[in-house]
Amino acid sequence: AKNEVKVFGKDGSLIKKRVKRLKWEILRGPKKDGYRHFMLKEIHEQPNIIRHVLKRRISRDKNDLYFENINLSEKKISKIERIIIQACGTSWHVGLVGKYLFEKHLRLHTEVDISSEFRYRNPVAGGDTLVMAISQSGETADTLAGIRLAKSKFLQVLSLCNTIESTIARESDGVIYVYAGPEIGVASTKAYTAELLALFLLTINWGILRNSISREKARKMIGELEKIPSALEELLDNQKEIHECAQKFYQTPNFLFLGRSFNYPTALEGALKLKEISYVHAEGYAAGEMKHGPIALVDEKMPVVCIALKDSVYEKMVSNIREVKARNGKVIAVATKGDDQIIKYADHTIFIPPIAEEFSPILAVIPLQLLAYHIAIKRGCHVDQPRNLAKSVTVE
């Protein structure tokens, strides 16, 4: 009717719905604020977004973390024995990082599924299983179908999304909003890092509740997270090497991205960004898999982006780099600031500030976002609206 809305069931009976009022800021259209493209603006927004979320989620004394819409009791959290993360595209890469986090710090068996596969298989899951869905838009068709499959099996569903009161948020038992703000560029940047931050904070919170992370360790981890905004600003202020790489390789038809452990998903994300906005064929691989096929592609024309930080798999990554160089491949290394050894092996080195290994994906991805952007610009591509792509995939 003109002044009211009524909802009826299939049998014609009136269904009472709870009204939620949303605070909605009316905008006169998104603005680039002096940036050439929305994607570049959104890359540069990341430090302030991280600051805002840290301030929102962490208490002043750093003893408590707030997740107001999670709808899981401490007892329920302590009884979770298995997590299934299902997501698509960039959010799937976030889920892969989540697997490393949850297994290392929570000692929780974690599986990560592509939503379009999860929805069509018959997963074996009991009552101690939590299904986690990740979606920037909150409307992704396959991820929504995966939630409905989980609910049909009476499984608890917790979602991460960026859009308040989206369909996925409403249909989940609990939700963690990542608070990245509107993202106009089709290729996700700030929503990706905001999703990562949400999982970092959730890991600390659940680690405390499950007694797998001590209060002292939690405070140290929070201290590491608080370094991220200034580290991101440092990266964004030093793009000379990235510009040089873009200039040298923008006409190259193929790229290979290699990473291990927490930064294997970063390699996948870097390859995806390059494909999405520059239309360059790029593949991301776990570096240990290089000998199982991809090494056949390496020659003097092949740029190989290697994420080789000073972490638990550093020596293994250096070994992979040496193998690439032995076959005349061109190595672009993303390395830890102060690492003089890596310069001996790489053709180009992009340094990032030191950070705890488990949090490094949030820094390591920034050079890859920028590399994809600058290559796309030099190739004359439509950065904000790449061909054939939609911001939210709402159909199968």
Side-chain angles (χ1 to χ4, degrees):
K2 184 178 180 180
N3 297 317
E4 64 178 354
V5 174
K6 291 183 178 180
V7 180
F8 297 91
K10 291 181 180 179
D11 60 357
S13 61
L14 182 66
I15 299 173
K16 290 185 178 181
K17 288 284 187 178
R18 184 164 60 94
V19 176
K20 286 188 176 181
R21 295 188 179 273
L22 301 179
K23 293 181 180 179
W24 194 268
E25 183 181 352
I26 299 175
L27 302 174
R28 296 183 182 273
K31 297 179 181 179
K32 295 176 185 174
D33 294 335
Y35 290 96
R36 186 175 176 184
H37 296 94
F38 283 110
M39 181 181 177
L40 187 61
K41 175 192 173 188
E42 288 155 6
I43 289 172
H44 282 263
E45 285 176 344
Q46 290 174 107
N48 282 335
I49 290 168
I50 301 300
R51 273 195 194 94
H52 168 74
V53 174
L54 290 173
K55 187 176 181 180
R56 184 181 190 123
R57 295 281 185 209
I58 301 169
S59 65
R60 288 186 178 181
D61 61 7
K62 297 181 176 51
N63 282 327
D64 295 297
L65 291 95
Y66 306 121
F67 292 94
E68 61 275 11
N69 299 305
I70 205 166
N71 294 332
L72 287 169
S73 66
E74 291 187 17
K75 183 178 180 181
K76 179 68 177 178
I77 292 168
S78 67
K79 288 187 175 181
I80 295 170
E81 294 295 330
R82 179 181 174 212
I83 294 178
I84 299 175
I85 301 174
Q86 54 108 6
C88 302
T90 283
S91 291
W92 179 63
H93 299 155
V94 174
L96 291 171
V97 176
K99 175 182 172 69
Y100 288 101
L101 286 167
F102 295 160
E103 292 189 342
K104 177 178 180 178
H105 292 292
L106 305 181
R107 305 309 300 154
L108 269 175
H109 173 60
T110 306
E111 298 174 28
V112 186
D113 246 336
I114 297 171
S115 295
S116 57
E117 292 297 314
F118 177 75
R119 66 179 293 189
Y120 288 117
R121 70 181 180 90
N122 188 16
V124 179
D128 58 0
T129 299
L130 175 72
V131 174
M132 184 175 288
I134 308 177
S135 168
Q136 179 270 326
S137 68
E139 304 293 341
T140 310
D142 286 321
T143 309
L144 183 57
I147 288 173
R148 290 168 178 167
L149 171 66
K151 300 286 280 184
S152 74
K153 294 180 176 293
F154 305 101
L155 299 174
Q156 197 97 8
V157 176
L158 174 65
S159 293
L160 268 70
C161 64
N162 190 38
T163 309
I164 309 295
E165 289 299 312
S166 59
T167 306
I168 284 175
R170 294 196 309 271
E171 294 201 17
S172 301
D173 297 297
V175 61
I176 298 171
Y177 292 117
V178 302
Y179 298 119
E183 189 174 63
I184 307 301
V186 168
S188 184
T189 52
K190 65 178 184 175
Y192 177 76
T193 51
E195 287 173 355
L196 284 175
L197 181 63
L199 288 187
F200 296 161
L201 291 166
L202 186 69
T203 299
I204 298 170
N205 181 238
W206 283 11
I208 294 169
L209 295 177
R210 293 171 62 91
N211 296 314
S212 60
I213 296 177
S214 68
R215 288 279 180 182
E216 182 182 358
K217 184 177 179 181
R219 279 191 287 271
K220 287 181 180 178
M221 293 173 78
I222 289 169
E224 282 291 292
L225 291 179
E226 289 177 332
K227 296 177 184 177
I228 290 173
S230 58
L232 290 174
E233 287 170 341
E234 182 180 335
L235 278 170
L236 293 169
D237 288 341
N238 295 278
Q239 298 184 35
K240 181 182 176 183
E241 193 69 30
I242 298 170
H243 281 285
E244 289 178 4
C245 289
Q247 179 63 41
K248 185 171 183 179
F249 296 113
Y250 76 96
Q251 293 180 312
T252 304
N254 301 291
F255 269 75
L256 189 62
F257 288 73
L258 301 177
R260 286 178 182 259
S261 188
F262 284 94
N263 282 300
Y264 160 48
T266 309
L268 296 177
E269 177 63 11
L272 178 62
K273 284 292 152 286
L274 194 60
K275 281 184 276 196
E276 284 180 314
I277 64 169
S278 69
Y279 318 141
V280 171
H281 174 245
E283 295 293 336
Y285 271 90
E289 284 292 292
M290 188 175 67
K291 290 182 180 178
H292 296 270
I295 199 168
L297 299 171
V298 177
D299 59 18
E300 69 279 358
K301 298 177 182 179
M302 172 68 83
V304 184
V305 179
C306 300
I307 304 157
L309 307 181
K310 277 282 191 177
D311 55 23
S312 63
V313 291
Y314 174 73
E315 295 300 333
K316 296 293 183 183
M317 281 304 306
V318 170
S319 176
N320 290 129
I321 288 171
R322 295 178 75 170
E323 288 171 342
V324 170
K325 291 302 297 176
R327 289 152 182 85
N328 300 315
K330 305 302 179 186
V331 173
I332 302 170
V334 177
T336 304
K337 185 178 178 181
D339 180 5
D340 297 326
Q341 181 184 357
I342 203 76
I343 300 171
K344 302 173 187 175
Y345 307 113
D347 297 278
H348 299 272
T349 308
I350 302 166
F351 289 108
I352 70 170
I355 190 78
E357 180 175 3
E358 55 264 54
F359 301 146
S360 63
I362 207 168
L363 297 186
V365 75
I366 304 302
L368 308 188
Q369 293 175 350
L370 290 165
L371 181 64
Y373 173 81
H374 291 302
I375 287 176
I377 293 299
K378 292 184 180 299
R379 292 173 63 88
C381 300
H382 199 315
V383 172
D384 287 332
Q385 293 180 306
R387 67 188 183 202
N388 307 331
L389 296 178
K391 183 62 180 171
S392 178
V393 183
T394 56
V395 294
E396 193 175 357

